[in-house]
Amino acid sequence: MIVSDIRNKYKDIFKSYDSPSLEEHIQKIIELDVYLPYSSTFFCITNTQDLSFEYVSKNMSACLGLDKDMLLTRGMRYFWSRMHPDDVEQWLQALNELMAFTLEHITIQERNAMSYTWNYRVKNGRDEYVNVIQNTTPLEFDASGKPIIGLAHYTVLDPKIKLQVCATAKKLNDKNEYETVYFNNFSQKLLSEGISNRERDIIRLLVLNYSSKIIAEKLNISSNTVDTHRRNILKKLNISSTGELIGLLKMNNLII
């Protein structure tokens, strides 16, 4: 998916018509940045209407090795261009479902108590894809109650850590404790919905530890066709081996 397609989908998810304005306390957040220590976490103030970053904290360069001014100048489009292509569809689906859940199940009065978390991979300054866990708290809403300004915290994790794309919505309760009100594993959803019936047949036989030759005989297809399906399965699920596939199935208690 090219950046222009991402932009259109993203703007459709966050579509609003009011002119966003930043609250005074945001300035205090910016002032605080000077005193925060360097760490593996940075934060931005995001504007989903203009597709821009209103502010980027100093830790961004330390975490990702990217030019802070480039992020401010080119906005979200530049950030999206560095996102792992295999994560884009799941990431957009996560955002869309989080927004749909909020508009349907969270009252306008409750929306300022919400916090949202999702993850994806992004290319750092060394051209390595690293894991990013993003937590966004809305700060400003349009007239319909759609969030348009957010405080986003980004935690960067080692690329060797295998993360499935998940999304969570939490609501601050009367005790000032966050309660999870929504969770979805979009990698698991892809495993359930994103593969063909033939690929399911092959996965079932792989789980039984059959070789490509035996699978070909059982399904009355060639070994080359089995190997092609195996490569496609690994690519779709963004995993590197059959062992990892079996581990993914067991970890999520999935039956194909």
Side-chain angles (χ1 to χ4, degrees), residues 51-53 56 60-61 65-79 81-82:
L51 306 183
S52 65
F53 295 101
V56 178
M60 190 280 296
S61 296
L66 300 178
D67 185 349
K68 174 180 173 180
D69 291 334
M70 183 72 74
L71 206 62
L72 286 169
T73 301
R74 299 179 61 182
M76 293 181 181
R77 295 177 183 85
Y78 172 65
F79 196 68
S81 71
R82 306 190 69 87

Side-chain angles (χ1 to χ4, degrees), residues 11 48 65 95 140 149 157 172 180 212 232:
K11 292 204 75 169
T48 58
L95 294 183
E140 284 279 343
I149 302 290
L157 301 178
L172 201 64
T180 299
S212 291
N232 290 338

Side-chain angles (χ1 to χ4, degrees), residues 52-203:
S52 65
F53 295 101
E54 302 287 346
Y55 182 76
V56 178
S57 72
K58 67 176 186 293
N59 274 356
M60 190 280 296
S61 296
C63 290
L64 294 178
L66 300 178
D67 185 349
K68 174 180 173 180
D69 291 334
M70 183 72 74
L71 206 62
L72 286 169
T73 301
R74 299 179 61 182
M76 293 181 181
R77 295 177 183 85
Y78 172 65
F79 196 68
W80 296 337
S81 71
R82 306 190 69 87
M83 191 175 290
H84 198 295
D86 291 344
D87 292 350
V88 171
E89 292 285 355
Q90 296 170 68
W91 164 72
L92 284 171
Q93 187 179 5
L95 294 183
N96 189 53
E97 295 199 13
L98 283 173
M99 180 62 74
F101 171 82
T102 298
L103 297 180
E104 183 176 353
H105 298 285
I106 307 300
T107 66
I108 292 177
Q109 293 76 20
E110 293 175 319
R111 289 176 193 172
N112 61 358
M114 296 298 295
S115 181
Y116 305 92
T117 303
W118 57 87
N119 64 284
Y120 46 85
R121 289 168 294 172
V122 71
K123 188 184 296 184
N124 64 17
R126 296 188 297 275
D127 287 337
E128 299 172 337
Y129 284 107
V130 295
N131 293 297
V132 173
I133 300 175
Q134 179 175 341
N135 175 265
T136 295
T137 302
L139 299 175
E140 284 279 343
F141 303 83
D142 68 8
S144 67
K146 246 184 179 179
I148 50 179
I149 302 290
L151 176 61
H153 288 87
Y154 305 78
T155 300
V156 180
L157 301 178
D158 191 278
K160 292 189 291 294
I161 300 174
K162 292 286 186 178
L163 293 180
Q164 299 179 52
V165 177
C166 299
T168 304
K170 295 185 177 183
K171 185 171 67 175
L172 201 64
N173 62 23
D174 295 337
K175 298 180 181 179
N176 284 331
E177 299 172 342
Y178 274 116
E179 296 179 352
T180 299
V181 292
Y182 171 92
F183 172 80
N184 206 335
N185 184 328
F186 289 89
S187 292
Q188 178 175 320
K189 196 167 186 177
L190 177 64
L191 185 57
S192 301
E193 301 176 359
I195 57 178
S196 68
N197 289 332
R198 175 58 82 193
E199 289 167 343
R200 291 176 190 274
D201 292 337
I202 290 173
I203 290 175

